Amino acid sequence: MATRDVSGWTVGFAVFAGVMLMMIGVFHALAGLAAIIDDQFFVVSKNYAFEFDTTAWGWIHLIYGAILVFAGYRIFSGVAWARIVGITLAAISAVANFFYIPYQPVWAMLIIALDVLVIAALCAYGTREAQGV
């Protein structure tokens, strides 16, 4: 059976996904710290269907950010479970940021867009390509 060379684009996209997961995790953690330190920092728009306590939301973002950083780091190991965890965490991050829209709309939509790119990048390669990372 003939073997194909691993595409540089695929490996580069995998590295992009790992780095982006770590950056998104840091962004989550910083937003969480801001909400924990000063719960009046984020202004909530009126008449939004979903309301959350800002301090509780801050703790959620801080903890989730740490988990995202760890998952992004593990992407570089090339193991299949790291990709699956990365895809799952990026999807949860996108949904969580949907609920964050009334607090910081532009920021939340930016993170959602980055999450979608991470999901696409992690779906683009397999175990063979991951060994090149």
Side-chain angles (χ1 to χ4, degrees):
M1 177 181 269
T3 60
R4 294 184 341 197
D5 289 335
V6 176
S7 167
W9 283 96
T10 304
V11 173
F13 217 25
V15 170
F16 168 80
V19 171
M20 288 280 68
L21 268 179
M22 290 189 290
M23 285 179 55
I24 291 167
V26 170
F27 293 157
H28 273 282
L30 290 175
L33 278 176
I36 292 168
I37 292 170
D38 183 11
D39 64 348
Q40 301 299 317
F41 179 75
F42 295 106
V43 179
V44 182
S45 61
K46 296 182 185 220
N47 300 326
Y48 191 67
F50 307 103
E51 290 186 30
F52 294 98
D53 177 55
T54 308
T55 304
W57 199 242
W59 280 106
I60 291 168
H61 272 273
L62 181 63
I63 293 167
Y64 194 70
I67 294 169
L68 280 169
V69 169
F70 178 72
Y73 175 75
R74 295 302 295 169
I75 292 295
F76 296 108
S77 67
V79 294
W81 68 263
R83 288 180 298 137
I84 295 166
V85 168
I87 291 167
T88 303
L89 292 177
I92 292 170
S93 173
V95 171
N97 274 285
F98 171 77
F99 293 110
Y100 201 60
I101 289 174
Y103 302 97
Q104 291 288 321
V106 174
W107 183 260
M109 288 186 282
L110 172 67
I111 299 299
I112 290 169
L114 289 174
D115 287 329
V116 169
L117 287 174
V118 166
I119 291 168
L122 292 176
C123 289
Y125 77 105
T127 305
R128 185 173 56 95
E129 290 88 356
Q131 300 306 319
V133 178

